[in-house]
Amino acid sequence: MRLATIAPLLFVLLWSTGFVGAKFGLPYAEPFTFLWVRMLIVAGLLSALAGVLRSAWPSGWALNLHIGVSGLLLHAGYLGGVFFAISRGMPAGLAALIVGLQPILTALLAQPLLRERVSAVQWAGLLLGFGGVGLVVGEKALGARVLPIEPSAFVAIILALLSTTLGTLYQKRFAVQMPLIGGTVVQYVAAAAGLFVLSLLFRETMQIQWTPQFILAMAWLVLVLSVGAILLLMYLIRHNSASRVASLFYLVPPATALEAYVLFGERLGGLALLGMGLAALGVALVVRR
């Protein structure tokens, strides 16, 4: 089976486990410290992989600069905002719902910035997908106890939404031809530097409790998310329009809900099942040729 056929589904399955990994790991490390350590580990692993495979590296200061900017947006900005928001009391479901606005925002900005045409049917799919995500996350929120959320959490999650949207567009516009492995290493190094600065600005202690649960969460996030899913994302951005790639994120909250049901026994009611169906239909309308 061709990678182009299975890559979207595989990406959704891998990416949806990110909130599960964050839930397991954040009790043992502060958000920015957790992330910059993760970025450095991934950069080291991918550097070794690039050496074994004799992969090409980005050439020229201009391309490396563009790759670094996209890395700051896609990794430091997005993940930093999500992890910070969750650490400040925002439920993961609410964070997923807000970040779920990304496909609509990406499609809106892709028209003037990338000159990508978004048809009326695709707009309908984007809105339908957002409605489906809202049903899934809404049911989960109704069944959960209300938690105090700091105002800074809302600022962080909005920054995460803007970062992942602009990062996708920037990558498509300026760095789509980057060498896949070598370019991703540059992205992670830039993200690690940015997250380290954030950990200093927010005066984190940078202490980590290396419990078995934290090690398992870190290993999963490094190998499955930061290596497997990100390489798939770079592949998808290279071979698809920005709007089509962004639409895949609509399937992440429903997939996460399914994983939470299997792993933690969280109930899936009628609204959630309806929402997952609407989200899948919305994605189908956006990505259809």
Side-chain angles (χ1 to χ4, degrees):
M1 186 178 295
R2 294 177 56 194
L3 179 60
T5 303
I6 65 171
L9 176 60
L10 185 59
F11 171 76
V12 169
L13 291 176
L14 296 182
W15 196 262
S16 65
T17 63
F19 286 114
V20 175
K23 182 175 180 179
F24 278 119
L26 273 175
Y28 306 101
E30 293 154 306
F32 298 131
T33 297
F34 189 159
L35 287 170
W36 72 254
V37 171
R38 170 184 166 184
M39 298 295 113
L40 287 181
I41 294 173
V42 178
L45 289 175
L46 287 180
S47 296
L49 180 62
V52 171
L53 299 178
R54 297 182 180 179
S55 300
W57 290 87
S59 59
W61 283 103
L63 179 57
N64 277 280
L65 179 61
H66 287 314
I67 294 173
V69 171
S70 67
L72 286 171
L73 291 169
L74 287 172
H75 307 307
Y78 168 67
L79 289 175
V82 170
F83 273 55
F84 184 88
I86 293 175
S87 72
R88 293 301 187 271
M90 179 171 286
L94 179 56
L97 175 61
I98 296 174
V99 177
L101 288 167
Q102 187 223 14
I104 295 176
L105 190 58
T106 299
L108 181 65
L109 295 177
Q111 293 187 83
L113 296 180
L114 301 180
R115 298 181 181 178
E116 291 185 1
R117 179 179 175 273
V118 181
S119 68
V121 173
Q122 287 178 310
W123 276 113
L126 289 165
L127 295 174
L128 190 62
F130 179 67
V133 170
L135 287 177
V136 174
V137 179
E139 182 182 87
K140 291 173 67 66
L142 289 174
R145 183 171 56 183
V146 178
L147 299 175
I149 305 174
E150 297 181 16
S152 60
F154 289 98
V155 176
I157 202 65
I158 294 300
L159 290 175
L161 169 62
L162 293 174
S163 293
T164 187
T165 302
L166 294 176
T168 300
L169 295 170
Y170 194 94
Q171 174 78 16
K172 184 71 177 178
R173 176 66 177 84
F174 296 107
V176 70
Q177 296 300 327
M178 76 175 194
L180 194 57
I181 298 178
T184 305
V185 171
V186 175
Q187 286 187 332
Y188 279 129
V189 171
L195 289 162
F196 181 76
V197 171
L198 287 174
S199 69
L200 294 176
L201 291 176
F202 283 85
R203 298 181 180 180
E204 293 186 349
T205 64
M206 299 189 187
Q207 295 180 354
I208 298 176
Q209 302 176 47
W210 291 92
T211 64
Q213 182 170 316
F214 179 81
I215 293 173
L216 179 62
M218 177 67 82
W220 182 267
L221 291 173
V222 165
L223 297 175
V224 176
L225 270 295
S226 294
V227 176
I230 289 298
L231 290 178
L232 278 173
L233 178 60
M234 297 301 103
Y235 174 86
L236 289 168
I237 290 175
R238 175 177 295 183
H239 295 282
N240 296 274
S241 70
S243 300
R244 293 183 67 191
V245 173
S247 68
L248 295 174
F249 287 90
Y250 272 139
L251 292 178
V252 171
T256 303
L258 284 172
E259 292 158 7
Y261 173 75
V262 174
L263 294 173
F264 309 116
E266 296 182 7
R267 176 180 169 272
L268 289 174
L271 281 179
L273 294 174
L274 175 61
M276 282 187 281
L278 290 177
L281 177 59
V283 171
L285 290 177
V286 173
V287 303
R288 74 186 187 93
R289 296 188 182 278

